[in-house]
Amino acid sequence: MPFDRVHARSGHVDARSGHEPAPFEARHGHQPRGSHLQQWVQTGTDGPVPGLPQPVPHAYLALAGPAPRELPPERLERLIREVDRDAYAALRHLPPDVAGAVVTPRRVVLFRGVCSADQLFYRVSDGWTRWSSDPRDLLDGPPRFAHETLWRACRGEDVFVFPGLDRLLPGQFAVADGRSAHTGTYDRITPLPMPRRTSLRAYADLAYQLLLEETRRYASAGRIGVLLSGGVDSAAVLAALTDHGADVIAYHMYTADPLADESPRARQACRELSVPLVTVDPPGEDESYFPDGHDFPLPFNHVWFRRLDLTARRIAADGVRTVLSGLDGDVVFGPLRFGLYDVAVADVPWRERWAMANGLLSSRWELSRIARSVRRGYSLYEDPEATAETERAGDFLVPVPGAGPERYEPDSAAQEHTLNLTVWRPYGIHCAKPWGGRQLRRLAARLPNAYRVIPYGGRTIDKPVLRLAAARRRVPSCVWRHYGRDWLGSPDETWCLRHPDAVADLLGGPDARLTTLGVVDPQRLAAVLADPRALRRNAENLLCTAMVELFLRDLSHKTAPIPGT
C-alpha cells in the first residue's frame, strides 16, 4: 500500500485557519507563516496534489504516515464531529500507525497512534497553537541545548534534544486552544489473552501467524521491497511476504569488510525463498561518511546514514514505493530485563523453567550477578558492571560529572523520524515495520521476560520467539541460528583509521559548534586521532558526533524568527 498522506504541519491555527495540500519535496523550502494548516502529500504523476476530503466546514483532518485505503467523507465527518465533542476514543477507528491533527474553530486535537513512527511536536503560547512533524518549525530562534543532552547524542544515544517543545507518546492525544494544552490517552496496547503456561513453541507459531496478518495488506500492492540485513527479523518478514505470493525484491547493504559482511546469509535466504536480491554497494573507500546537502530535523547520530541514503536512491530508481524492514523485532521481542527472578516467576511450562535456570549457570554472567538477580527489579542487563563492558568510548568528549549510564528512550525514535523526513519520504518511499504491528505488540506484552532471552550452552540467545518462528518456516538455518559473530562496526572503524584528517576538519576546525559549546575537547580529540588504538575504540562515537555537528550547522541556517510570533 503506497502512502499518499505524509505529514501534517502548521504555522498558527485559529478560527480563520485554512487547509492546503502541498508536495512533500517542497518541504525543505517551507517556512510556515500565518494561520493555516499545510498537509504534506506524495506528489502524483499528473494533475493537482491529492489531499484528504474535508467534509466539515471550517474543520480539517490531516494525517502523518501511511494513508488508509479508504476514508470516505461520511466517515471523516463522523470522526471530526465526535472528536470535537470530546469523544477522543473515536480516534481508535483510525489505523494505529498514523498520527495527525483535527483542527476546528475551537481548538486543535493532536494524536499519535500506538504504532506510529511519526512524532508530532507542539507549542502553546500567546494565544497560538503551533505544531509540526518537524521540530524546527516551532523555533523562534536558536535553541539553547542542554550540555548533557548533546553529550548523550554524541555518544549515540537516541535522545530528544530540543528544549521547550512538547511531543506526543504513542496512543496519546493533546487538546490545545492557544492558551493551554492537556494530554490524555485514547489507545493503549493490552496483553493478548493466552492460556497459562503457554510454551515457547506456541508463542513462536502465533508470532508468525500474526506476522502473516500484518504483511497481508502489502501482498497485493505491486512490487514490495524488503531491507534484508542477513538477520532473523528481516528474513522472517521476507518469508511472510513470499507465503502470500507477493511480488517482492530484497535490498541488502553490502560491505566488503569480511568482519561485517552479512551478504552470504542474505543470499542464502533469497535463494531458498526464490526472491531476487539487490546488493547496494557502500560509499567508496575515499568517499566521506558525512552527507552534504541534507535537512536534519533531529540528530541522526548513527553511522549508517550514507548507506541508507544510497539504498533509498536505488529503491526509488527501481520504482518501488513501499519497503518493509525488520525494525522493531528487537524492541518488541528482545530482552527488556532478565534474571533469576524472571525465570522463577515466569508463566511457562515447568520443564522449560528448569532448563532456563540450568542454562543461567553456564551463561556469560558470573555466579555473583546471577545470585543478585534473584531479587525482584534487578536485571542482569542493567548491572553496572555489564553496562561498563558494552559502553562505547567517548575519550574526546568533555566529561559530564554525575551523568548516569546510557538512557533508553523507546519512544524517542529520533533516528527513525529523521530517516522518514530526510530519506524515505523525499524519495517517495514508505518504510513499514511489520513487527511493530498492534497484534504483535499485544503478543509481546503478554510474553514472559524469560522468553525474551534464553541462556543455553554458555550463550544467551536473544529473541528466541522470532528465531523459533523462523526455524519453523523456510528461513535457512544459517540465518536463525546465527548469533553474535559479526563485527558490524569494523567498516566504520577502518574508515576512521584511514581518514582521521576528515574527522579533524569537521570536529576540530574553526567552525565546529560542538567545540564552541564545550562538548568536544580539542586536545582530547587530537590525542584520540593521533593514536590508532584510541581511534578504533572511539570510531563509532566519532561518527555519531560528526552527525550531531552537521545537525547543529544545518540548524543554524534555519532558525530565523517566524513573523507574527
Side-chain angles (χ1 to χ4, degrees):
M1 178 184 65
F3 68 93
D4 62 3
R5 255 67 74 180
V6 185
H7 272 71
R9 72 162 70 185
S10 77
H12 315 297
V13 175
D14 64 10
R16 301 178 303 280
S17 171
H19 173 265
E20 174 193 4
F24 190 84
E25 58 266 28
R27 183 185 71 85
H28 299 295
H30 173 65
Q31 289 294 329
R33 287 179 171 82
S35 176
H36 70 284
L37 184 149
Q38 191 148 16
Q39 173 78 60
W40 300 101
V41 299
Q42 182 180 6
T43 306
T45 54
D46 296 300
V49 176
L52 282 173
Q54 303 296 337
V56 181
H58 309 296
Y60 309 97
L61 171 66
L63 295 181
R69 285 186 180 274
E70 295 182 2
L71 278 176
E74 58 273 14
R75 180 180 171 189
L76 290 176
E77 179 178 0
R78 184 168 59 252
L79 174 67
I80 293 172
R81 294 193 185 281
E82 288 184 7
V83 170
D84 197 37
R85 292 196 301 266
D86 302 336
Y88 305 116
L91 295 169
R92 290 203 295 265
H93 297 305
L94 290 171
D97 51 354
V98 301
V102 175
V103 183
T104 72
R106 291 197 303 141
R107 59 192 177 177
V108 176
V109 179
L110 308 174
F111 58 91
R112 181 182 176 194
V114 288
C115 303
S116 173
D118 288 280
Q119 291 272 12
L120 289 183
F121 310 93
Y122 64 97
R123 284 178 59 185
V124 180
S125 62
D126 301 327
W128 298 99
T129 298
R130 297 164 51 197
W131 79 94
S132 177
S133 54
D134 189 331
R136 299 169 301 179
D137 292 341
L138 309 181
L139 302 177
D140 296 330
R144 297 177 62 87
F145 296 111
H147 181 273
E148 183 177 334
T149 302
L150 289 179
W151 176 77
R152 290 187 178 278
C154 292
R155 286 158 44 96
E157 298 182 37
D158 199 10
V159 295
F160 179 63
V161 298
F162 283 101
L165 299 186
D166 293 307
R167 54 187 171 136
L168 291 178
L169 300 178
Q172 193 177 67
F173 68 87
V175 182
D177 60 6
R179 295 176 297 276
S180 63
H182 70 271
T183 61
T185 299
Y186 73 91
D187 198 6
R188 64 180 75 248
I189 297 295
T190 56
L192 201 65
M194 299 284 288
R196 288 199 61 194
R197 296 187 181 134
T198 299
S199 69
L200 180 64
R201 187 176 298 276
Y203 272 108
D205 289 342
L206 182 54
Y208 193 78
Q209 290 302 314
L210 294 177
L211 179 64
L212 285 173
E213 290 300 314
E214 190 65 28
T215 54
R216 187 182 307 278
R217 56 177 168 157
Y218 302 102
S220 59
R223 171 155 281 197
I224 299 295
V226 172
L227 298 177
L228 187 64
S229 65
V232 65
D233 308 60
S234 57
V237 170
L238 186 66
L241 286 170
T242 60
D243 281 351
H244 290 304
D247 180 11
V248 62
I249 182 171
Y251 293 90
H252 177 74
M253 293 186 292
Y254 174 71
T255 175
D257 191 319
L259 297 176
D261 183 15
E262 297 180 289
S263 62
R265 297 195 303 277
R267 286 195 297 270
Q268 184 64 25
C270 288
R271 186 179 301 114
E272 296 201 16
L273 295 171
S274 300
V275 171
L277 175 66
V278 173
T279 56
V280 181
D281 291 331
E285 182 178 317
D286 294 326
E287 293 183 60
S288 176
Y289 264 44
F290 312 136
D292 296 321
H294 277 282
D295 218 25
F296 292 106
L298 294 160
F300 186 79
N301 48 344
H302 196 278
V303 298
W304 283 5
F305 186 90
R306 282 292 304 277
R307 282 181 258 181
L308 287 165
D309 187 45
L310 291 171
T311 303
R313 294 183 189 183
R314 176 57 194 269
I315 292 171
D318 289 344
V320 174
R321 291 293 173 259
T322 301
V323 63
L324 276 60
S325 76
L327 285 176
D328 276 0
D330 287 328
V331 174
V332 175
F333 287 99
L336 300 174
R337 51 157 292 111
F338 184 72
L340 196 55
Y341 174 84
D342 299 286
V343 173
V345 302
D347 183 17
V348 302
W350 285 102
R351 64 182 182 279
E352 294 186 4
R353 184 181 305 178
W354 178 251
M356 287 187 282
N358 283 335
L360 264 175
L361 297 177
S362 62
S363 68
R364 63 183 174 88
W365 288 299
E366 292 87 348
L367 186 60
S368 59
R369 295 189 193 178
I370 296 173
R372 288 198 297 270
S373 74
V374 75
R375 301 196 308 265
R376 180 177 183 178
Y378 180 93
S379 173
L380 290 166
Y381 284 95
E382 296 173 359
D383 189 291
E385 296 178 33
T387 303
E389 291 174 358
T390 58
E391 186 172 316
R392 290 171 290 189
D395 300 337
F396 58 96
L397 300 174
V398 176
V400 177
E406 179 174 341
R407 291 200 298 253
Y408 175 57
E409 298 185 20
D411 296 319
S412 174
Q415 294 171 2
E416 182 180 5
H417 193 63
T418 300
L419 280 180
N420 278 338
L421 266 63
T422 64
V423 173
W424 301 123
R425 288 169 184 168
Y427 287 114
I429 299 169
H430 168 53
C431 186
K433 307 176 300 179
W435 285 118
R438 178 194 286 275
Q439 291 299 98
L440 282 160
R441 288 181 182 272
R442 292 189 66 199
L443 177 66
R446 176 63 177 81
L447 188 68
N449 285 331
Y451 277 168
R452 292 179 175 274
V453 58
I454 292 202
Y456 176 78
R459 299 186 300 173
T460 50
I461 301 173
D462 66 330
K463 299 176 292 187
V465 169
L466 301 195
R467 293 178 184 276
L468 186 56
R472 292 169 66 80
R473 295 305 182 269
R474 292 178 294 154
V475 177
S477 61
C478 65
V479 174
W480 60 264
R481 286 183 181 275
H482 179 78
Y483 181 79
R485 294 183 180 178
D486 293 324
W487 187 358
L488 295 181
S490 179
D492 315 304
E493 296 177 15
T494 300
W495 188 89
C496 284
L497 284 169
R498 293 175 178 173
H499 302 87
D501 292 342
V503 179
D505 290 343
L506 183 60
L507 298 180
D511 297 329
R513 268 65 168 179
L514 288 168
T515 299
T516 303
L517 293 171
V519 179
V520 171
D521 186 322
Q523 295 182 341
R524 290 172 178 260
L525 176 65
V528 167
L529 296 179
D531 182 352
R533 289 175 299 178
L535 189 55
R536 180 176 286 278
R537 186 174 65 249
N538 286 268
E540 187 170 355
N541 277 358
L542 282 168
L543 294 174
C544 288
T545 302
M547 295 300 293
V548 177
E549 174 69 26
L550 291 176
F551 158 75
L552 293 174
R553 295 189 185 191
D554 180 63
L555 183 65
S556 66
H557 301 296
K558 296 182 173 67
T559 50
I562 300 172
T565 59

